Amino acid sequence: MFASKVLARPLIARHRLALRQGTCRCMSTLNGLRKMADIRVVANMGIVFVTLDRPAARNAFSRAMAADFTSVLNHLKHDRETRCVVIDSDVKNVFSAGADLKERLTMEEYEVGAFVEGLRQMFTALERLPMPTIAAIEGAALGGGLELAMCCDIRVAGKNASLGLPETSLAIIPGAGGTQRLPRLVGLARAKELIFTAERITAERAEAIGLVNYAVPPGRAKDKALELAAAICANGPLATRLAKQAIGSGMQCDLSTAMDVERGCYAQVIKTKDRDEGLRAFHEKRKPEYIGE
């Protein structure tokens, strides 16, 4: 990890400069994404930021916002240039408040089930993106907002964050994966406690129980996410994708079957140009230049 951080430092500096100068590329110009009202997508040097920006509703997902987010995921899953995705918010003190409950009040009963199923499928699509994903959480990540974050591979939270699944206080249950992903992250007993009590916890406690990887000073979650993303991008992109596949698929199996999953993923990297480049760079004591082939 130390070597990756050293290799990542120039990338972090260039990315921050590009953000300040406004020279990052909007993905709508790259992949045909239409302009979206509540989501902004920016790509730079292999890192894609998907920024939630619906301040009037605290980044709560409406039907329209969910459709846009799904469109973004559909583009990303086929984009070979993207090495890491960061999900963050441009709304002060809010990551996401989950589903738009005001809009839900206007729905018929049969529409509610369909909408929640759509969120469930959308979050699963995020979880299944081939490249590593990071949630940069500032402020409230509640209900579907936390369910969204839990679908990312890595979570970073500012110490002003509030995290929780408060659905039982509204006489419903987490319905977009929360009852299944939370126990897999923090253990069965802690997940039951958090869901049964509808408790909201701090970033520090979330870090202590394994719900987030890092609790950082307020306002620094995006910086830490960028640091991690740059470290990821310094490594072989095919290797990180296959490592994610091996971990994700293997965790659903018994250990013997999981070893077969790892064996199959490892076999795919042996003949790659990146593997040869990594070995040459190590021998020649220079920075590797990976091309994703």
Side-chain angles (χ1 to χ4, degrees):
M1 180 65 176
F2 176 75
S4 294
K5 282 185 176 181
V6 171
L7 293 175
R9 285 171 186 164
L11 181 60
I12 294 172
R14 291 199 303 271
H15 189 94
R16 285 176 175 158
L17 179 62
L19 287 173
R20 287 197 301 270
Q21 295 178 339
T23 56
C24 294
R25 296 171 295 170
C26 175
M27 283 196 70
S28 61
T29 64
L30 299 177
N31 297 332
L33 278 172
R34 62 181 177 82
K35 185 176 181 180
M36 295 169 287
D38 305 319
I39 299 172
R40 186 172 64 258
V41 184
V42 173
N44 193 50
M45 293 176 287
I47 303 172
V48 172
F49 278 92
V50 180
T51 302
L52 309 180
D53 188 16
R54 193 180 178 219
R58 294 171 55 83
N59 283 342
F61 277 87
S62 63
R63 285 167 165 156
M65 187 175 178
D68 285 344
F69 195 84
T70 298
S71 178
V72 172
L73 298 178
N74 287 337
H75 279 78
L76 287 173
K77 72 180 179 182
H78 298 299
D79 186 4
R80 296 188 63 182
E81 293 184 8
T82 299
R83 298 191 180 191
C84 186
V85 176
V86 178
I87 312 291
D88 72 333
S89 166
D90 212 25
V91 178
K92 187 176 181 180
N93 296 325
V94 177
F95 177 70
S96 173
D100 187 338
L101 298 183
K102 290 183 179 179
E103 183 182 71
R104 187 172 296 184
L105 285 172
T106 69
M107 295 180 185
E108 298 292 338
E109 188 173 311
Y110 73 90
E111 294 178 299
V112 174
F115 176 72
V116 174
E117 177 60 26
L119 291 180
R120 190 178 297 119
Q121 293 177 9
M122 180 180 76
F123 291 160
T124 298
L126 170 60
E127 185 176 52
R128 291 178 179 174
L129 283 179
M131 68 288 293
T133 56
I134 304 171
I137 304 166
E138 297 283 359
L142 302 173
L146 181 56
E147 289 175 313
L148 166 64
M150 288 193 292
C151 292
C152 293
D153 299 305
I154 299 170
R155 285 160 296 283
V156 180
K159 291 184 179 179
N160 63 334
S162 174
L163 306 95
L165 295 175
E167 284 86 349
T168 54
S169 68
L170 299 172
I172 56 176
I173 71 170
T179 64
Q180 303 307 307
R181 291 189 177 95
L182 187 61
R184 284 168 167 79
L185 289 170
V186 305
L188 188 62
R190 283 197 177 101
K192 286 181 176 180
E193 177 188 348
L194 291 173
I195 291 172
F196 294 168
T197 63
E199 181 183 1
R200 303 180 185 193
I201 64 173
T202 64
E204 290 96 330
R205 187 178 175 207
E207 181 185 39
I209 66 176
L211 182 54
V212 302
N213 298 69
Y214 297 95
V216 298
R220 298 300 300 274
K222 187 171 182 176
D223 286 344
K224 182 63 179 179
L226 176 57
E227 176 188 319
L228 292 166
I232 290 167
C233 288
N235 300 325
L238 293 179
T240 56
R241 288 182 178 223
L242 285 164
K244 176 172 178 173
Q245 180 181 331
I247 295 166
S249 298
M251 287 298 292
Q252 308 304 316
C253 311
D254 62 87
L255 184 57
S256 177
T257 303
M259 290 297 186
D260 291 335
V261 171
E262 181 183 82
R263 184 178 298 109
C265 290
Y266 193 92
Q268 295 181 59
V269 301
I270 291 176
K271 297 181 179 180
T272 64
K273 294 178 181 178
D274 280 350
R275 174 182 175 272
D276 293 338
E277 165 63 10
L279 292 173
R280 284 196 300 270
F282 178 80
H283 177 71
E284 296 166 8
K285 295 181 174 57
R286 60 173 174 81
K287 177 183 174 181
E289 296 182 6
Y290 297 122
I291 59 175
E293 295 179 7

